[in-house]
Amino acid sequence: MKPLSTPEQILAAMTYAEKLAQLQIVWRPDSTEAGALARNGAGALFWPATAKATNALQRTAVEESPHGIPLLIGLDVVHGQFTIFPTPLAQAASFDTEVAAADARLSAREARSTGVNWTFSPMIDVSRDPRWGRVVEGFGEDPYLNAVFGEAKIRGYQGDDLSSSTSIAACAKHFVGYSAAEGGRDYNSTDISVQRLRNIYLEPFKVAVTAGVASVMASFNAVSGVPMHANREMLTDVLKNEWGHNGIVVADAGGVGELVEHGVAANASDAGRLALSAGLDVEMGGSLLSGNEPIIREGVLDPARLDDAVLRVLRLKQALGLFENPYVDESAAATGPDEASLSAARATAARCTVLLKNHAAVLPLKPRGQRVLVVGPYAESKDHLGAWVQYFASPTTTSIVESLTAALPGSVVTALPSATFFDSDPGLQAEAAAAAAEADLVIVAVGEPSTLSGEASSRSSLNLPGDQEELIRAIAGSGTPFAVVLLTGRPLVVSEWIDQCPALLVAWHLGTEAGKAISDVLTGTVNPGGKLPMSFPRSVGQVPIYYNHESTGRPARTGGSLAHQRPDVGLTGPTNTDDYFKSKYLDLELGPQFGFGYGLSYTSFELESSPDQALSVALDGLRAGTRLCFTTIVRNTGTRDGDEVVQLYVSDLLASVTRPVRQLRGFHRVFVPAGEERRVTLTVGFDDLGFWTNDAHAGYIVEPGEFRIRVGDGLSFQEFRLTVTPPSS
Ligand code: GLC
């Protein structure tokens, strides 16, 4: 074993080619290539799928490479390695960051035990366009929600000590603005104002850097015409210099080479020079060396920049404890879920469900004595893992119908053979309607399969695929009460059938224990308490639609159809000229079908909020750390224990730039036993009341004046007026 050296000492002994080799994670090499790369001093490799193979690669790196430098071993552990937790968007719906932390802690334990020491997660791209398949990987449309869930995952993955056998290095991605792709079409151009960039897309990454995230991944898109993989302003000026990120910046797969496609690099060598000079530290793909030969001529790169990148990589390896111990105990390597991880996966999954409708208390199912029919592709499908799982992920253990059968021994649970997601089978609809007529209650389990979700999976339609909507209508026609369980990676358009549907439960893609968790909710063992982290549009024509929008100079105020006497287009309806010249659609009601922060429960709550202090505060006091407290009494006025999510929103009523009509700046999910009450206190401070100006040098400011504070359950709020007084002159 070579004597341990400091990163600086190792760097001093490295050649130019050896330095570049440390700055690459080659894209999915085969085992022979991986061995050769390790022998030649590669900095990082993707996980070779077993602890044994990982130890072999580490041994090759330590014992045969020029400086014996151990490897970073990366993998996309996005919502689990073997045990699969709910997708990140589903986790956001829990409005409980402990759900994300539980995923990250257990995922890190499984991953590190197998030799993975670096995950490319969390994704904290604020997502406002459900056509984009990757909305599933982030935490929805709000910057604050993405920030706090991203922080919870980073802390869960990294723990207090990266060298621990249960910690892995996290990676905040994709930096930055990838989710603003025009048309929701993956990899498409973005056009982002300074206001949006600073106040929407960058906020979660700033919080991630403050939380000590070990790495940040550059995104495929350009910002203001400069592709992020060559964007010095963002990668160096903002991320490293302004925010102090001292970890590594890694490319997305092929992102450096794609600078040629973007049209800003003449060739691969030029692309590598641009990327490393802009502040990228590790290339993902394998385009810095051809064999062992650098494709960037020595002397082209600033030596100080090159050395800085190498030191960042070596320091991360040092922090991970890899120089002391690069190997894992193969006998202790996880090979699949254990009882603890399955139990956590089941509990977190149930917390992610959102009840959007429940007329006449169709749900929960009665404990016994019911004839329950389950129809739809998801009656028996076990496709609940969602996007971004690896081939070795632990499959969903039981389907919805299997879980309900086990949970309701005193009832008769039957399932119709389910069509696939895309087939059209009118015969099946008729058969389902006939079977429904013989049932007491029908569960219509429909949605989109995991394959329609994730990277390169943008959709131009947000409707249910195949003839699932016809199936819902056929069941509605039977007259039997029914509930729709919607399994999806993204918000969907439900407007074509929601009025005929008595109950709707959104169950996302909930992972390995999805079937049992959904059964726990449908039977009332778990009372759903989730809220929507993304708006559900009425029509794909509304997209992008999000709650934290600006007012515009002509906000339409009246809902309902604003159709006017338009015989030319066949639209008729009330003529309301007060709203004619306002920001609206002629053929669609205002606002989303279901809004951000909305969700019901099997019980009912009353909220009563009040400020704990006078609602006037000096700007100097805020800057010094004063926080204003708002306490809410949450009363459970129903007959079932349940959770409520108290939410606090801020509105800046008069500012020097347009500000969102409201912004989430605090929330807390609280359990309240039936008939009892609990107190929740949420606070507001300097970081919640201000904004980044268009002048980057002026930075973040809070302007004195009037603010509206709203506290409520996501549907109704109490409002308070807060005055921030100017500094004493
Ligand atoms: C993909 C994704 C990125 C992922 C990387 C490695 O292209 O954009 O999120 O971490 O490749 O798998």
Side-chain angles (χ1 to χ4, degrees), residues 27-28 46 76 120 134 137 173-174 178 187 217 220 252-253 284 388 455:
W27 180 249
R28 308 233 184 257
F46 276 89
D76 289 282
F120 306 120
R134 302 197 76 165
E137 300 172 49
K173 68 183 187 183
H174 306 81
Y178 178 26
Y187 318 119
M217 180 181 283
F220 288 125
D252 201 340
M284 180 184 287
W388 272 117
E455 185 171 357

Side-chain angles (χ1 to χ4, degrees), residues 408-441:
L408 296 172
S411 293
V412 175
V413 180
T414 53
L416 270 189
S418 51
T420 66
F421 294 97
F422 305 103
D423 285 354
S424 178
D425 182 351
L428 187 70
Q429 292 153 31
E431 188 183 349
E438 303 304 314
D440 299 314
L441 192 126

Side-chain angles (χ1 to χ4, degrees), residues 538 542 551 554-564 573-592:
R538 294 177 188 280
Q542 277 183 312
S551 164
R554 295 194 175 196
R557 305 231 186 272
T558 51
S561 166
L562 290 169
H564 294 268
T575 300
N576 173 345
T577 51
D578 294 345
D579 247 352
Y580 189 79
F581 294 102
K582 294 293 176 65
S583 183
K584 61 155 189 329
Y585 295 102
L586 281 175
D587 54 356
L588 192 66
E589 288 186 53
L590 291 177

Side-chain angles (χ1 to χ4, degrees), residues 108-419:
R109 192 189 72 194
E110 280 187 358
R112 190 71 187 258
S113 77
T114 65
V116 174
N117 51 47
W118 185 24
T119 179
F120 306 120
S121 175
M123 176 187 149
I124 48 179
D125 301 333
V126 175
S127 302
R128 298 172 146 182
D129 190 331
R131 292 172 294 181
W132 190 49
R134 302 197 76 165
V135 300
V136 69
E137 300 172 49
F139 300 102
E141 69 192 41
D142 180 77
Y144 180 80
L145 204 61
N146 273 276
V148 296
F149 270 82
E151 181 179 11
K153 291 211 82 169
I154 290 161
R155 296 192 188 285
Y157 287 134
Q158 299 188 168
D160 298 329
D161 176 1
L162 270 179
S163 67
S164 159
S165 62
T166 58
S167 296
I168 52 177
C171 181
K173 68 183 187 183
H174 306 81
F175 188 76
V176 66
Y178 178 26
S179 52
E182 287 179 351
R185 198 172 80 241
D186 208 352
Y187 318 119
N188 199 12
S189 303
T190 70
D191 190 5
I192 306 173
S193 68
V194 171
Q195 268 299 300
R196 294 282 173 93
L197 185 62
R198 281 279 184 174
N199 291 295
I200 302 292
Y201 298 106
L202 281 174
E203 178 177 331
F205 288 93
K206 187 169 190 296
V207 172
V209 169
T210 304
V213 69
S215 61
V216 174
M217 180 181 283
S219 54
F220 288 125
N221 60 291
V223 171
S224 300
V226 182
M228 280 308 301
H229 281 73
N231 197 314
R232 179 183 176 77
E233 181 193 359
M234 290 290 117
L235 299 184
T236 296
D237 298 347
V238 171
L239 186 55
K240 292 181 176 178
N241 295 345
E242 185 182 324
W243 294 353
H245 176 54
N246 56 18
I248 62 178
V249 178
V250 62
D252 201 340
V256 172
E258 288 164 14
L259 293 175
V260 176
E261 283 297 333
H262 274 289
V264 298
N267 51 46
S269 173
D270 197 24
R273 172 187 63 79
L274 281 172
L276 291 172
S277 304
L280 194 87
D281 299 307
V282 175
E283 188 268 341
M284 180 184 287
S287 63
L288 295 184
L289 296 112
S290 172
N292 295 340
E293 287 309 309
I295 66 166
I296 306 170
R297 190 168 36 80
E298 187 163 5
V300 164
L301 289 170
D302 171 3
R305 169 75 277 269
L306 180 64
D307 289 355
D308 170 60
V310 175
L311 279 176
R312 287 169 183 263
V313 171
L314 296 179
R315 285 173 183 149
L316 176 54
K317 293 180 178 183
Q318 187 179 47
L320 285 163
L322 296 177
F323 288 106
E324 286 77 13
N325 180 15
Y327 308 111
V328 293
D329 174 358
E330 291 168 29
S331 67
T335 54
D338 60 22
E339 278 317 305
S341 56
L342 287 175
S343 170
R346 180 171 181 174
T348 52
R351 286 182 79 77
C352 299
T353 58
V354 184
L355 182 66
L356 292 181
K357 196 175 176 184
N358 193 22
H359 285 180
V362 163
L363 292 176
L365 299 171
K366 292 183 174 57
R368 64 190 62 76
Q370 272 188 318
R371 295 168 299 167
V372 179
L373 173 69
V374 189
V375 300
Y378 266 109
E380 294 172 318
S381 166
K382 294 184 181 178
D383 172 13
H384 290 276
L385 298 188
W388 272 117
V389 294
Q390 310 288 346
Y391 70 87
F392 39 74
S394 178
T396 300
T397 51
T398 57
S399 67
I400 291 175
V401 71
E402 287 168 339
S403 305
L404 283 177
T405 302
L408 296 172
S411 293
V412 175
V413 180
T414 53
L416 270 189
S418 51

